[in-house]
Amino acid sequence: MTIVEIMEKMIAYSNGDRHDIDHFIRVWTFARTIAEGEGIDAETRFILEAAAITHDIACPLCREKYGYTNGKYQEREGAPMVRRFFADCDLRDEIVERIAWLVGHHHSFAEIDGPDHQILLEADFLANAVENDWSPRKRAFFRDRFMKTESARRLLRALFPTETDRE
Ligand SMILES: [Fe+2]
C-alpha cells in the first residue's frame, strides 16, 4: 500500500468532513517536509506519513461518544481503529503496529519515542497553530518545550514571521 492509497482511503473514510480532511492533509504535508529536512530513512518516513494521515481517526467517534475530542480518549480509541483501517492492506504487522502506536501516543509529550513520534507531534502542532490561530505566547511555549527539529522550527518561523517567533 502506498502513501497515496492511504490518503485516498482516509479521505473516503472521512465521509466528506472537509475540516478533518484539511487537517490531516496539512499534518501530513508538514510531517513529510520535516522528515525530508531531517533526512529520515524511507521506512520510518512511510510510517510517519501513514500516522500523520490517520492520526485523528478517532475524532468523529470521540465527538459522538464523549461529546468532544480529548487527547486521551483519542489516543485510546485511535490505535484499534488504525489496526482495523489497515487490516485488509498488505502492510507488515510491525509497520501497522508502529502506526497504531504513534496514533495512540500523538498527544503524549512526556516521553518521545523516536524521530517519527517527535515529527508527528511537531507537524500536528504546526497545523493546529495555523488552524486555530494560536497566540505567539502559546507557540513559543510549545516551541521551547517540545520542538526539537531544526526543520520544524524553520517552518514555524516561516509560518509566523514575527518578532516573538525568532530566537
Ligand atoms: Fe491533529
Side-chain angles (χ1 to χ4, degrees):
M1 192 176 208
T2 66
I3 289 297
V4 170
E5 286 166 346
I6 296 170
M7 177 60 83
E8 269 198 52
K9 185 170 171 151
M10 191 62 204
I11 289 171
Y13 188 93
S14 300
N15 234 339
D17 188 326
R18 288 189 292 278
H19 177 271
D20 283 0
I21 294 167
D22 282 353
H23 176 69
F24 69 70
I25 289 174
R26 192 172 282 111
V27 174
W28 169 66
T29 306
F30 287 147
R32 189 183 165 128
T33 304
I34 297 167
E36 286 254 3
E38 298 297 307
I40 300 298
D41 70 88
E43 181 161 287
T44 307
R45 207 179 85 181
F46 179 89
I47 290 167
L48 166 66
E49 290 187 36
I53 293 167
T54 56
H55 77 284
D56 277 338
I57 194 167
C59 266
L61 179 129
C62 287
R63 284 193 287 258
E64 187 159 312
K65 192 165 165 183
Y66 307 107
Y68 57 98
T69 61
N70 151 304
K72 283 292 141 203
Y73 290 152
Q74 266 195 64
E75 289 188 341
R76 194 166 64 208
E77 303 281 356
M81 290 178 80
V82 165
R83 287 188 197 101
R84 283 197 296 276
F85 181 87
F86 288 110
D88 60 347
C89 302
D90 57 0
L91 300 179
R92 297 200 320 270
D93 284 352
E94 66 263 34
I95 302 262
V96 175
E97 270 316 299
R98 182 62 182 173
I99 299 167
W101 188 90
L102 288 169
V103 172
H105 292 81
H106 83 273
H107 285 278
S108 301
F109 299 98
E111 277 175 64
I112 302 297
D113 180 63
D116 45 3
H117 191 201
Q118 174 66 36
I119 294 172
L120 179 61
L121 299 184
E122 292 177 340
D124 199 23
F125 153 67
L126 286 168
N128 285 323
V130 169
E131 291 165 21
N132 303 321
D133 218 6
W134 281 9
S135 67
R137 202 183 161 141
K138 190 167 177 178
R139 296 196 302 262
F141 174 80
F142 190 98
R143 180 198 65 207
D144 297 341
R145 284 285 285 272
F146 304 115
M147 212 168 227
K148 302 261 165 42
T149 72
E150 189 43 50
S151 303
R153 285 171 174 252
R154 204 163 51 234
L155 275 175
L156 182 67
R157 286 195 296 272
L159 287 162
F160 300 98
T162 60
E163 216 38 53
T164 39
D165 284 316
R166 294 193 185 281
E167 288 157 90

